[in-house]
Amino acid sequence: MPIFEFECGECGIRFEELVAAGESVACPDCGAERSRRLYSEVSPPGRQPRGAGVRSDESRRREREAARQDRITESRKRRAAGEKP
Ligand SMILES: [Zn+2]
């Protein structure tokens, strides 16, 4: 999937998102679905959208994984605390 740059119609921030052609995305900041695609600035020189996308996917995955581990640890602690009066 190609990476596109969007500009939010509500708050005006710009963000990059991997989407199928013709799809619109919600603003990651305010959640508005009035983002518009910027056709002119898809690949600024010196940047590698594909690599950046992969990296951010990877870091998002790691964050999710870490959050999951935290929840597991937390629920184990609660369970341990509950079992010992
Ligand atoms: Zn916004």
Side-chain angles (χ1 to χ4, degrees), residues 6-13 15 17 23-37:
F6 293 86
E7 185 177 76
C8 177
E10 288 291 334
C11 67
I13 68 154
F15 55 98
E17 209 47 72
E23 261 182 48
S24 64
V25 295
C27 171
D29 199 43
C30 70
E33 290 187 87
R34 284 179 52 204
S35 55
R36 64 189 178 86
R37 200 154 88 199

Side-chain angles (χ1 to χ4, degrees), residues 58-74:
E58 177 69 13
S59 66
R60 257 182 262 166
R61 199 177 62 79
R62 280 193 196 148
E63 273 173 31
R64 270 206 303 274
E65 191 66 23
R68 200 169 65 88
Q69 287 299 330
D70 277 357
R71 277 202 300 278
I72 290 168
T73 307
E74 196 59 34

Side-chain angles (χ1 to χ4, degrees), residues 30-47:
C30 70
E33 290 187 87
R34 284 179 52 204
S35 55
R36 64 189 178 86
R37 200 154 88 199
L38 302 175
Y39 289 92
S40 54
E41 298 178 62
V42 172
S43 293
R47 295 181 64 187

